[in-house]
Amino acid sequence: MTSFPSKLIEDAVSEIAKLPGIGRKSAFRIVLHLLKQETSFTENLTSALTRLRNQIRYCSRCFNISDEEVCSICTSSQRDTSVICVVENFKDLLAVENTGQFRGLYHVLGGLIAPIENITPDKLKIQELIQRVENENISEIILALSASIEGDTTAFYITKQLKHLTHLKITSLARGLPIGSELEYADEITLGRSIQARVAYGI
Amino acid sequence: MTSFPSKLIEDAVSEIAKLPGIGRKSAFRIVLHLLKQETSFTENLTSALTRLRNQIRYCSRCFNISDEEVCSICTSSQRDTSVICVVENFKDLLAVENTGQFRGLYHVLGGLIAPIENITPDKLKIQELIQRVENENISEIILALSASIEGDTTAFYITKQLKHLTHLKITSLARGLPIGSELEYADEITLGRSIQARVAYGI
């Protein structure tokens, strides 16, 4: 597939092929599909994309992606407003949300501290988190960050910034063997930590 | 991935996931990508799709997909206007075009005769082909149709419609073993036809 005898098709294929996970062949398949469907099919698609890009913003409270000034989780009356789950980004927020195990609020940092990549604490929404914890009636924050150097650094930094709030409980996600995993395939570091952090066996 | 706490995201994911070969997971990846890029990225994409869908039409001469009233192949001065390659659709036209072996004109039928699916000759651009052959100075038509019952039926029908034009040469694509294929893996019908249609061995 070298080129198309139509600039309209060539332009559409080029633009679609810029999207992640889509090559020129798939892009061409999509173009043929659009041409086969009613005009309204393409209109619905482009209108949804335009609205998405122009109207979406960040919740002014938790920095979650939001349709409104304050996001639907922050405004919900069904949530426990005394617990904040701190996550790196929107994807991690969704991952936690989809477990159905958490009914509190969130705070999206927008990244993790990584001095080598020039991501210093002031580039993240850490100061805003501190203010929320100080001003709202928060009893616990859960640091739901990646098990990486950056995640650990960020957790450590946040904990230090909040140590003056003696009433506040700071927790982090449990680390250990994934559910359903076999011992012999576990990596040494995870297995080692699982032994150190062993818990009472309850039946 | 059940749902998103944002109608804008949900709408965009739903629309993107309607495209062929894209599931909700890939659609969400695309949405996150769009949100990370500048607004102009999404604008370029939606504008290309809108232009594609609204401006594209069929060449009034060969029924190829075209940006203009007559397509770029029909208007080209570089093409041999005495030979027409008859194809089922735009994809097949591109396949022939990309071999670089054909410099004549095309005629896109828009399908193949298939009475079971209610595709009768009058639903295809066969009458238009007859008129072109009668009115333009055509010396040969190449029936580049699929090696299927529908392809054979269509080829037979067109040949019958054109038999009054005694000067016209009607050819079809050579059938036989694909280049590079091994004899032992060839299907019996292809191999049988290859024996029947054997050609003089030239060194």
Side-chain angles (χ1 to χ4, degrees):
Chain A
M1 178 171 312
T2 42
S3 67
F4 304 104
S6 153
K7 198 178 172 314
L8 292 170
I9 291 183
E10 176 58 43
D11 287 354
V13 167
S14 304
E15 289 299 328
I16 297 172
K18 285 181 191 165
L19 298 173
I22 302 186
R24 276 180 69 86
K25 273 210 165 164
S26 311
F28 181 53
R29 238 174 93 208
I30 290 171
V31 161
L32 288 180
H33 186 78
L34 292 178
L35 291 177
K36 243 190 270 170
Q37 306 297 314
E38 297 292 317
T39 318
S40 62
F41 183 92
T42 305
E43 283 166 0
N44 291 342
L45 172 65
T46 54
S47 140
L49 297 185
T50 304
R51 277 183 288 123
L52 170 78
R53 197 60 190 84
N54 293 342
Q55 290 176 29
I56 215 146
R57 39 191 163 164
Y58 294 101
C59 171
S60 61
R61 207 169 152 206
C62 75
F63 304 98
N64 178 17
I65 287 176
S66 174
D67 297 4
E68 312 286 339
E69 164 75 17
V70 177
C71 80
S72 57
I73 294 176
C74 282
T75 51
S76 167
S77 62
Q78 308 291 309
R79 314 285 304 204
D80 177 356
T81 58
S82 70
V83 187
I84 293 178
C85 178
V86 180
V87 291
E88 178 183 347
N89 55 36
F90 177 60
K91 264 199 260 191
D92 291 353
L93 182 154
L94 275 185
V96 173
E97 191 64 6
N98 284 333
T99 65
Q101 299 295 314
F102 180 68
R103 301 302 299 164
L105 304 178
Y106 290 94
H107 191 89
V108 181
L109 295 175
L112 295 174
I113 298 172
I116 295 168
E117 293 169 54
N118 207 21
I119 307 178
T120 45
D122 58 294
K123 302 220 167 97
L124 306 174
K125 301 296 182 190
I126 293 180
Q127 209 44 52
E128 289 83 350
L129 172 65
I130 313 290
Q131 278 168 23
R132 279 184 76 185
V133 176
E134 283 174 349
N135 299 333
E136 298 173 27
N137 198 14
I138 307 297
S139 61
E140 178 180 359
I141 68 167
I142 303 170
L143 300 169
L145 304 174
S146 296
S148 62
I149 296 177
E150 290 81 11
D152 289 347
T153 307
T154 310
F156 181 74
Y157 182 88
I158 292 174
T159 307
K160 244 179 65 183
Q161 300 287 310
L162 290 171
K163 70 170 178 217
H164 62 287
L165 300 170
T166 47
H167 70 281
L168 183 72
K169 197 169 147 193
I170 302 179
T171 58
S172 83
L173 295 182
R175 309 284 186 213
L177 293 179
I179 309 299
S181 67
E182 298 197 32
L183 210 80
E184 63 175 308
Y185 300 121
D187 68 284
E188 292 158 22
I189 298 175
T190 301
L191 191 53
R193 281 224 208 170
S194 293
I195 295 168
Q196 281 170 23
R198 64 194 177 276
V199 292
Y201 187 66
I203 305 179
Chain B
M1 180 170 309
T2 42
S3 67
F4 303 104
S6 154
K7 199 177 170 317
L8 293 170
I9 291 182
E10 176 58 43
D11 288 353
V13 167
S14 304
E15 290 299 328
I16 297 172
K18 284 180 191 166
L19 297 173
I22 302 186
R24 277 180 69 85
K25 272 210 167 166
S26 310
F28 180 53
R29 236 174 93 208
I30 290 171
V31 161
L32 289 180
H33 186 77
L34 292 177
L35 291 176
K36 243 190 267 168
Q37 306 297 315
E38 296 292 316
T39 318
S40 62
F41 184 92
T42 306
E43 283 166 1
N44 291 342
L45 173 66
T46 55
S47 141
L49 297 184
T50 304
R51 277 183 290 125
L52 170 78
R53 196 62 190 83
N54 293 342
Q55 291 177 29
I56 217 146
R57 38 190 164 165
Y58 294 101
C59 172
S60 62
R61 208 170 154 206
C62 75
F63 304 97
N64 177 17
I65 288 176
S66 174
D67 297 4
E68 311 288 339
E69 164 74 15
V70 177
C71 80
S72 57
I73 294 176
C74 283
T75 51
S76 167
S77 61
Q78 308 291 309
R79 315 284 304 204
D80 177 355
T81 58
S82 70
V83 188
I84 292 179
C85 179
V86 180
V87 290
E88 177 184 348
N89 55 37
F90 177 61
K91 265 198 260 190
D92 291 353
L93 182 155
L94 274 186
V96 174
E97 190 64 7
N98 283 334
T99 65
Q101 298 296 313
F102 180 69
R103 300 304 298 165
L105 304 179
Y106 290 94
H107 191 88
V108 182
L109 296 175
L112 295 175
I113 298 173
I116 295 170
E117 291 169 55
N118 206 22
I119 306 178
T120 46
D122 57 294
K123 300 217 169 100
L124 306 173
K125 302 294 181 191
I126 293 180
Q127 209 45 54
E128 288 82 351
L129 172 65
I130 313 290
Q131 278 168 23
R132 279 185 75 185
V133 176
E134 284 172 350
N135 299 333
E136 297 173 27
N137 197 15
I138 306 297
S139 61
E140 177 180 0
I141 68 166
I142 303 169
L143 300 170
L145 304 174
S146 296
S148 62
I149 295 177
E150 291 79 11
D152 290 347
T153 308
T154 309
F156 182 72
Y157 181 88
I158 291 174
T159 307
K160 244 179 65 184
Q161 299 287 310
L162 290 171
K163 69 171 177 215
H164 63 288
L165 299 171
T166 47
H167 70 281
L168 184 71
K169 196 169 149 195
I170 303 180
T171 57
S172 82
L173 294 183
R175 310 283 186 213
L177 294 180
I179 309 299
S181 67
E182 295 196 36
L183 211 80
E184 62 175 309
Y185 300 122
D187 68 284
E188 291 158 22
I189 298 175
T190 300
L191 191 53
R193 282 224 206 169
S194 292
I195 293 168
Q196 281 170 24
R198 62 195 177 278
V199 293
Y201 186 67
I203 303 180

